[in-house]
Amino acid sequence: MSEFEEFIKEAKKRKRVILVNIENEWDVVMARREIRRLAEEVGFDEVDQARLTMSLAELAKNIILYAGKGKIFMWKSIHKGEVNVNILAEDEGPGISDWDLKRGFILQKSTGLASVKQLADKFFLKSSPGRGCIVGIKKILRK
Amino acid sequence: MGEGRALSGLYEVILRDYLSEGSEADLYSALNLGKICVEEEIGPDELVGLHLAALKRFMKEDKAELTVEKLLQSLNLLVEVMVAYGLCYRNYIESKIRNRQLEQELEIAKKIQTSLLPTRLPKLPNIEIGVRMIPAREVGGDYYNTMELENNEIGIWVGDVSGKGIPAALLISMLNYAIKGFSFNSAIREPNKTLQKLNELICDNIDTESFISLFYARLNRDANTLIYANGGHEPPLLFRQSTRQYFLLEGDGLVLGVEKGIEFEETEVKLHPGDVLVFYTDGVTEARNEHQETFGFARLKALVGKNSTLTAQSLADRLINFVLNHSQMKFTDDLTLMVIKVL
């Protein structure tokens, strides 16, 4: 099982996962509030909290823009003594073609994904045309 | 400045709202504000100034006491703006660097292209040649050449390569060398055979999406004949001064580089003293004015007839000036026009 597949499994199976359905801008605000609370609880400073809320907002806006609706999962995890905050954004929208992915098109264009990738410690993306899009990010707490 | 003032007003509203309600929605608005600041080219120093000014006004107008808690809370908003700003700024700088590289490449392409065009035209006793070419800002794909061949002939080439930029410049470079090679090869003298050979060469060496429209003629100064073949190029115009008739130098033939094995029709026309030949590319006839109306072939034809007594170079200059006036200098494709007069 690939690292991303495990990441997805973690999002779906964990007990303490926060799930927010994304359909409109208010849902984005609500999800931001949740991730900020989670990041604060874990011990991220205000700047990293802002980075996480920004990443989440970009992912959520992409869901609304391209798929209309979708889900955002957030949870904290501890792995080999490392504390992480994780976000998984999932939609069933039109997806991204392999061709666009290969060209890096989606990461260069102003889809906001480029910013999300820059801010994260780990970034996963899985998508194909007609089958929606799953994006995962992990941010590690630096001590 | 207008945007700056509007932005400071917006910042103040968001900050005031956030300080009184501490809402996540305000922080979300701040994120969008950070992005706008980069687009409006507002510097980070100005942004901090904006924050400070908004904070001061809030204290003054709302008579609020600025506690340490409030100050820290206000900084949350600034952090939000700055994180978005920092990211957008990095992307903005990266795209600027990319654009600069692209511009440098275009500059190189332009140099390649102009270095391939003839620096001087053949000077002959009974023939006058005039050329005017104006490249578009982006590197286009126009090509022309004239050269003295054996048997008192001159070769005349006018073409247009598909695409723009470096790929077009490279294609022209290849075309130029091939043309030079073929022109002095006595085994293939006929324009139709030459185009056929060139077509094979181009089909074998360039990708299927590129193509070249090319007109080739050999003008024999002893016999006063023009033998030509046309590979899908705008048909040149022949204006016969003595009878004031117009002829189009058409001929069967596809653009080069699309299909192997195609043949080109060869035609011979007799030239008379006073005849004017006008070769051009589609940039000339398709130049548009503000109403999207093209310059068009009919206008070109009428202007050639009216100005046919000018020297070849003056006529080329005048025709191009008409095109420039028509498009109000806003042409997007190269403009190439060559005039040959039989004296």
Side-chain angles (χ1 to χ4, degrees):
Chain A
M1 196 186 283
S2 75
E3 204 182 344
F4 191 23
E5 279 165 342
E6 267 178 46
F7 188 83
I8 297 170
K9 206 174 136 193
E10 214 177 287
K12 305 285 170 74
K13 289 231 169 127
R14 247 176 199 273
K15 277 181 190 155
R16 298 189 59 192
V17 169
I18 304 158
L19 166 63
V20 179
N21 287 311
I22 302 290
E23 259 181 83
N24 56 47
E25 293 277 311
W26 277 112
D27 300 331
V28 182
V29 173
M30 206 155 79
R32 277 172 55 102
R33 199 180 294 143
E34 294 296 338
I35 194 73
R36 193 184 297 279
R37 194 180 298 153
L38 190 64
E40 199 181 349
E41 183 190 312
V42 167
F44 280 103
D45 66 15
E46 283 78 2
V47 177
D48 271 338
Q49 286 173 29
R51 287 181 178 138
L52 274 164
T53 52
M54 177 168 174
S55 301
L56 184 134
E58 295 296 344
L59 293 174
K61 272 195 294 186
N62 274 353
I63 290 178
I64 296 170
L65 197 65
Y66 297 107
K69 59 178 183 174
K71 290 183 169 87
I72 286 193
F73 303 82
M74 321 161 221
W75 70 102
K76 63 176 175 187
S77 62
I78 300 168
H79 185 67
K80 291 180 188 163
E82 222 176 54
V83 184
N84 311 307
V85 164
N86 311 286
I87 303 174
L88 186 83
E90 187 184 55
D91 69 59
E92 290 170 1
I96 311 165
S97 74
D98 275 355
W99 194 69
D100 277 346
L101 281 178
K102 273 184 201 137
R103 278 173 68 217
F105 167 83
I106 220 76
L107 291 176
Q108 281 168 17
K109 286 266 174 158
S110 52
T111 50
L113 279 184
S115 310
V116 175
K117 194 178 178 188
Q118 270 189 50
L119 291 178
D121 289 306
K122 266 218 168 97
F123 176 87
F124 309 101
L125 172 65
K126 192 177 138 194
S127 182
S128 54
R131 288 186 171 184
C133 189
I134 308 180
V135 186
I137 59 167
K138 190 185 276 286
K139 191 141 188 74
I140 304 168
L141 177 68
R142 315 252 171 234
K143 284 173 189 163
Chain B
M1 283 315 282
E3 283 95 358
R5 215 169 298 140
L7 214 62
S8 77
L10 190 61
Y11 197 98
E12 212 181 306
V13 170
I14 296 171
L15 182 75
R16 177 169 290 162
D17 223 44
Y18 180 61
L19 287 181
S20 49
E21 293 187 17
S23 146
E24 183 66 45
D26 294 322
L27 293 176
Y28 185 30
S29 307
L31 179 144
N32 295 326
L33 204 66
K35 290 182 180 176
I36 296 169
C37 287
V38 176
E39 283 160 18
E40 299 290 343
E41 299 193 353
I42 288 169
D45 47 344
E46 289 173 83
L47 242 174
V48 175
L50 218 62
H51 184 83
L52 206 60
L55 200 60
K56 279 181 182 165
R57 259 200 301 278
F58 167 72
M59 282 159 56
K60 197 176 160 196
E61 285 169 21
D62 291 23
K63 297 197 172 51
E65 193 193 341
L66 189 68
T67 58
V68 175
E69 285 75 27
K70 279 272 181 266
L71 185 65
L72 283 176
Q73 194 189 350
S74 89
L75 286 181
N76 279 344
L77 193 92
L78 187 61
V79 164
E80 195 77 30
V81 175
M82 291 312 266
V83 165
Y85 185 92
L87 255 179
C88 277
Y89 184 72
R90 250 170 275 158
N91 291 342
Y92 177 72
I93 292 292
E94 271 171 29
S95 73
K96 255 197 159 164
I97 292 171
R98 264 202 302 274
N99 281 349
R100 203 176 307 143
Q101 282 170 341
L102 215 62
E103 266 171 31
Q104 280 169 349
E105 282 180 19
L106 280 178
E107 212 45 54
I108 296 168
K110 216 165 191 164
K111 275 186 190 148
I112 297 175
Q113 196 193 12
T114 41
S115 73
L116 294 171
L117 298 170
T119 44
R120 59 178 201 92
L121 302 168
K123 282 208 169 12
L124 305 158
N126 56 340
I127 295 285
E128 236 179 47
I129 306 175
V131 178
R132 183 93 185 266
M133 181 192 204
I134 303 182
R137 209 185 71 82
E138 285 178 80
V139 183
D142 278 12
Y143 176 81
Y144 72 88
N145 210 342
T146 51
M147 41 191 139
E148 288 186 69
L149 308 173
E150 51 195 11
N151 303 327
N152 236 353
E153 287 189 324
I154 54 170
I156 302 154
W157 304 88
V158 181
D160 194 351
V161 162
S162 65
K164 283 184 160 64
I166 292 188
L170 291 175
L171 206 51
I172 287 180
S173 154
M174 186 180 91
L175 179 71
N176 192 53
Y177 287 115
I179 279 176
K180 280 187 178 157
F182 284 130
S183 298
F184 298 103
N185 181 348
S186 47
I188 28 169
R189 292 173 40 82
E190 302 88 342
N192 62 340
K193 295 264 169 59
T194 312
L195 287 192
Q196 231 169 302
K197 284 271 176 204
L198 270 172
N199 182 45
E200 305 296 301
L201 181 89
I202 292 164
C203 282
D204 285 341
N205 289 288
I206 65 169
D207 62 277
T208 47
E209 282 157 28
S210 305
F211 56 87
I212 302 172
S213 74
L214 191 64
F215 178 90
Y216 176 37
R218 289 177 91 104
L219 192 157
N220 188 304
R221 295 191 291 127
D222 293 331
N224 255 354
T225 54
L226 187 85
I227 302 173
Y228 70 86
N230 194 346
H233 193 75
E234 268 59 38
L237 175 70
L238 164 62
F239 175 68
R240 180 139 299 155
Q241 185 81 297
S242 52
T243 56
R244 299 199 70 78
Q245 275 177 298
Y246 297 92
F247 302 94
L248 276 180
L249 306 186
E250 288 171 308
D252 281 347
L254 262 179
V255 287
L256 281 61
V258 172
E259 197 184 327
K260 277 185 96 167
I262 52 165
E263 295 189 346
F264 299 85
E265 185 185 0
E266 188 169 271
T267 316
E268 182 176 330
V269 286
K270 186 88 184 134
L271 297 176
H272 303 283
D275 280 0
V276 180
L277 288 156
V278 181
F279 308 87
Y280 57 93
T281 52
D282 59 0
V284 170
T285 42
E286 286 170 19
R288 287 170 191 274
N289 64 10
E290 52 188 341
H291 308 297
Q292 293 303 307
E293 183 192 352
T294 58
F295 186 74
F297 179 73
R299 210 182 304 245
L300 180 74
K301 195 171 136 182
L303 285 167
V304 170
K306 262 189 211 160
N307 298 282
S308 60
T309 53
L310 292 172
T311 63
Q313 189 57 55
S314 303
L315 180 56
D317 289 341
R318 179 159 302 180
L319 292 173
I320 285 290
N321 287 345
F322 271 109
V323 178
L324 290 177
N325 282 335
H326 176 84
S327 66
Q328 292 175 320
M329 305 293 288
K330 286 180 191 137
F331 54 99
T332 49
D333 203 356
D334 291 354
L335 304 177
T336 303
L337 197 137
M338 173 156 56
V339 175
I340 295 188
K341 273 191 90 169
V342 183
L343 302 176

